[in-house]
Amino acid sequence: MPGVSLMSRAGLRQASVLLARLIVAGIFLFAALPKLIDVETFARSIANYRVLPEAWAGSLASILPWIEAFAALALLTGWYLRGGALVVSAMLLVFIAAIAQAMARGIDIDCGCFGAAAESEVGWGSIARNLGLLLLCLWLLLPMNRESWRLLGGRTKVKPDGSSSEGKAR
Amino acid sequence: MDVVKEAVLISLLGVVAGLMSVALRGVPRAEAPPESASCAPPSSTQGFVRWVTVEDAQGLLNDPAIRFADARSPSEYEAGHILGALNVPMDKDMVSEALLERLRSARTVITYCDTQSGCARSVRLTHLLQAAGIGDVRVLKGGMPEWNRQGRPAEAGPCRECP
């Protein structure tokens, strides 16, 4: 029956959006927390890439994990969901570029992806992981996935002009 | 709210929180390690450097198309080197034509050094070989110390195949 098929497709899409949110939010929160706790280790990781002056690495290490955390919370709660996905996408592009240039220059370092919590060397594995997360974020940014559940407060609702607004749970 | 505005707001929240963290804890120090501490090339290194692990390199030990090139001094080489490696010391910052001829016949050349003496030697050798037209040159990650630490095949004595 066509009606049932459409409902199933919509339901599957909603489920995939929720899953993407949880995966990306979970990984970014797991990545942000150790960096917030041990800022110095993360600052050294940034310096190891030898892209920025060392004086900037400390400041960036203090700010970047907070942006990661807020973006992850946006994905988790569903509030400003697409903004969070956009922030995470931009960060992932920067991370991929940083890892790729380290590989090209033969710099053998820990990627600093998870701060002091876990070791992860720069390499194709870390690039592949970030590309996978980027694809999930792009999925969240697709116009057809504008609607999604929010934690505490219903779901976003698409206006006729295509922008989002608050909506009550049905 | 427009998605870009949402993204800007989230980023601003992060920046404000980060600045507050700096105000409370100060800016963390970020001293990069000395350039020769981990066998990583100096940032001024030009050219593409590929690395190979000890595990992968040992798998290539019996491949006649693979040559190992020891960038250390002759005395360090004679004290112990990878089985079958040629000694190409970097004290004169050049590679003789005779040694180049031996290395050109290889499909892949793996260079290595001793990290305690500064791994710039194996990376420098890599670039000299690449400039001489040898396409596939790689640096052994961890050098001779890692090779020995893992108990991989080694021998002592002078270089038998060196011209």
Side-chain angles (χ1 to χ4, degrees):
Chain A
M1 292 172 65
V4 171
S5 166
L6 277 170
M7 280 172 57
S8 298
R9 263 210 298 264
L12 274 174
R13 198 169 67 241
Q14 285 294 310
S16 70
V17 167
L18 186 60
L19 190 62
R21 283 169 56 189
L22 291 175
I23 290 172
V24 179
I27 289 175
F28 263 69
L29 276 174
F30 176 70
L33 286 173
K35 295 174 197 170
L36 290 169
I37 294 167
D38 186 357
V39 191
E40 282 199 355
T41 297
F42 185 46
R44 275 197 295 277
S45 298
I46 294 175
N48 285 342
Y49 280 88
R50 304 181 192 277
V51 173
L52 297 173
E54 280 179 22
W56 292 16
S59 303
L60 189 61
S62 297
I63 293 171
L64 199 62
W66 284 106
I67 299 178
E68 282 184 335
F70 279 112
L73 286 173
L75 289 171
L76 195 63
T77 61
W79 287 90
Y80 300 158
L81 164 63
R82 297 177 75 228
L86 186 60
V87 170
V88 169
S89 299
M91 292 175 77
L92 286 167
L93 285 171
V94 170
F95 296 160
I96 290 169
I99 292 169
Q101 69 85 33
M103 287 170 65
R105 291 164 69 191
I107 300 175
D108 178 19
I109 53 173
D110 185 278
C111 81
C113 303
F114 300 101
E119 287 186 4
S120 173
E121 284 194 350
V122 294
W124 291 111
S126 45
I127 286 185
R129 181 185 59 235
N130 287 339
L131 277 173
L133 291 172
L134 184 60
L135 285 174
L136 289 176
C137 288
L138 294 177
W139 173 245
L140 294 174
L141 286 168
L142 286 178
M144 66 183 184
N145 291 331
R146 273 201 191 101
E147 274 201 34
S148 188
W149 287 101
R150 276 187 191 151
L151 195 69
L152 304 176
R155 56 198 294 157
T156 59
K157 193 173 166 184
V158 181
K159 288 182 184 173
D161 63 1
S163 61
S164 302
S165 70
E166 294 183 27
K168 299 280 184 193
R170 291 184 195 144
Chain B
M1 189 188 285
D2 181 64
V3 65
V4 173
K5 286 181 189 166
E6 290 179 7
V8 169
L9 181 64
I10 290 168
S11 303
L12 276 175
L13 281 171
V15 169
V16 167
L19 291 174
M20 285 172 61
S21 157
V22 167
L24 287 169
R25 300 197 278 189
V27 179
R29 296 194 62 178
E31 291 167 356
E35 291 189 344
S36 61
S38 66
C39 238
S43 56
S44 57
T45 295
Q46 309 222 342
F48 183 78
V49 176
R50 293 174 66 187
W51 297 83
V52 59
T53 63
V54 164
E55 293 80 6
D56 290 340
Q58 194 194 339
L60 301 170
L61 206 51
N62 294 321
D63 187 339
I66 309 296
R67 293 311 306 252
F68 286 81
D70 190 322
R72 301 173 300 164
S73 67
S75 57
E76 289 171 301
Y77 173 92
E78 288 177 22
H81 54 268
I82 292 175
L83 214 56
L86 289 174
N87 188 205
V88 192
M90 286 287 95
D91 52 345
K92 292 185 175 60
D93 199 33
M94 56 163 281
V95 184
S96 70
E97 193 54 42
L99 273 170
L100 277 176
E101 278 309 309
R102 278 171 174 66
L103 293 172
R104 278 199 184 103
S105 61
R107 186 182 70 235
T108 300
V109 177
I110 299 175
T111 70
Y112 68 92
C113 67
D114 186 328
T115 56
Q116 288 178 356
S117 303
C119 229
R121 289 189 288 183
S122 54
V123 175
R124 178 63 185 146
L125 174 58
T126 296
H127 289 129
L128 287 173
L129 296 177
Q130 286 171 337
I134 299 175
D136 190 2
V137 189
R138 307 179 193 193
V139 182
L140 184 66
K141 214 168 172 179
M144 197 66 202
E146 185 61 20
W147 186 270
N148 285 334
R149 193 191 68 78
Q150 293 193 26
R152 307 291 177 172
E155 60 183 359
C159 182
R160 288 190 294 271
E161 290 186 63
C162 296

